[in-house]
Amino acid sequence: MSQRILFVLTSHDRKGAADDAGAAPGGFYLSEVAHPHRVLADAGYGVDFVSPRGGKTHVDGLDLDDPINAAFWHDADLRSAAGNTLAPAQVEPDDYAAIFYAGGHAAMWDFPDSAELAAIATRIYDRGGVVAAVCHGPAGLVNIRLSDGRHLVAGKDVAAFTNDEERAVGLYGTVPFLLADALQARGARHISAPDFQPQVVVSERLVTGQNPASARGVAEAMLPLLTTASGERS
């Protein structure tokens, strides 16, 4: 199996609809990319970046006091790759062992309706690969169906940003839907931890995390699944 992993970043640039000029700026949440990237790169995996529209992305959570965030942000090659993403049409799913949906509130507006990304994830999972997501990244899982027509999350345990966390950050009434509720409507069992505490859930080859504090743990939980999948296909 491939030693490459596909990171999905939002193309959206605000915490609101595209025509909402008063919405707060948004984008992919830096720690939800930098921390998993460090774990997976240290384990020998290469990473490519894709977004629903391809090309330019925007960053949220630009905390450069975090040394892992700072190392990612100040690496010219990584910053360029994350800021100038592949388009879905440029991606060959069979090149990847896993797909990882990074969060940031902005993902709620463009991840769910990207049929091209959903098809890539379906192909990776059906071939024995891993699908992972953290915080608002699971918005990308809501409309993924496997080749047998079932929703990917149906019957699986998942973690994602909770309704209470949305209330706590003041965006309960802003997001286009409540992520935990949408996942449960697709047949998932949403398993939450207290607000903003790490929570990582593994269900078959699906790995999900609740919030930014869970980002590193999601990548760490992916590693044994990737090793197993590689061994089964060798």
Side-chain angles (χ1 to χ4, degrees), residues 1 127-129 205 224-234:
M1 180 168 281
R127 290 181 62 248
R205 286 174 285 106
L225 298 177
L226 291 164
T227 300
T228 299
S230 180
E232 289 176 350
R233 295 178 64 86
S234 62

Side-chain angles (χ1 to χ4, degrees), residues 64-75:
L64 299 184
D65 290 332
D66 177 321
I68 295 176
N69 284 357
F72 184 97
W73 193 247
H74 294 309
D75 183 308

Side-chain angles (χ1 to χ4, degrees), residues 47-60:
V47 170
D48 294 321
F49 299 93
V50 66
S51 65
R53 294 199 301 265
K56 183 176 177 61
T57 61
H58 309 268
V59 68
D60 196 6

Side-chain angles (χ1 to χ4, degrees), residues 5-8 97-101 117 120-121 124 130-133 222:
I5 295 172
L6 187 66
F7 274 40
V8 184
I99 184 170
F100 169 79
Y101 289 83
L117 287 173
I120 292 168
I124 289 171
V130 175
V131 174
M222 291 170 68

Side-chain angles (χ1 to χ4, degrees), residues 8-203:
V8 184
L9 311 183
T10 179
S11 297
H12 202 57
D13 66 352
R14 65 196 69 190
K15 297 168 185 170
D19 60 357
D20 183 357
F28 71 85
Y29 206 78
L30 181 57
S31 67
E32 295 173 22
V33 175
H35 284 249
H37 181 274
R38 171 65 64 86
V39 170
L40 296 166
D42 284 353
Y45 289 92
V47 170
D48 294 321
F49 299 93
V50 66
S51 65
R53 294 199 301 265
K56 183 176 177 61
T57 61
H58 309 268
V59 68
D60 196 6
L62 188 63
D63 176 11
L64 299 184
D65 290 332
D66 177 321
I68 295 176
N69 284 357
F72 184 97
W73 193 247
H74 294 309
D75 183 308
D77 291 337
L78 287 177
R79 186 167 169 181
S80 176
N84 299 279
T85 57
L86 298 170
Q90 295 175 284
V91 171
E92 171 47 65
D94 291 354
D95 290 343
Y96 297 95
I99 184 170
F100 169 79
Y101 289 83
H105 271 88
M108 296 287 286
W109 280 269
D110 67 349
F111 276 10
D113 296 327
S114 178
E116 292 174 297
L117 287 173
I120 292 168
T122 296
R123 175 63 179 171
I124 289 171
Y125 196 85
D126 280 343
R127 290 181 62 248
V130 175
V131 174
V134 69
C135 198
H136 291 89
L141 309 179
V142 170
N143 291 322
I144 296 175
R145 291 181 182 269
L146 301 179
S147 57
D148 62 6
R150 293 178 300 126
H151 282 103
L152 168 67
V153 299
K156 294 185 176 70
D157 298 333
V158 300
F161 208 66
T162 69
N163 295 354
D164 285 343
E165 287 171 325
E166 291 291 9
R167 289 188 183 93
V169 299
L171 291 169
Y172 184 90
T174 299
V175 290
F177 59 92
L178 294 171
L179 183 51
D181 291 355
L183 291 165
Q184 290 180 115
R186 295 302 196 210
R189 294 178 292 269
H190 182 253
I191 301 174
S192 61
D195 291 359
F196 309 111
Q197 296 303 303
Q199 171 78 326
V200 176
V201 174
V202 178
S203 193

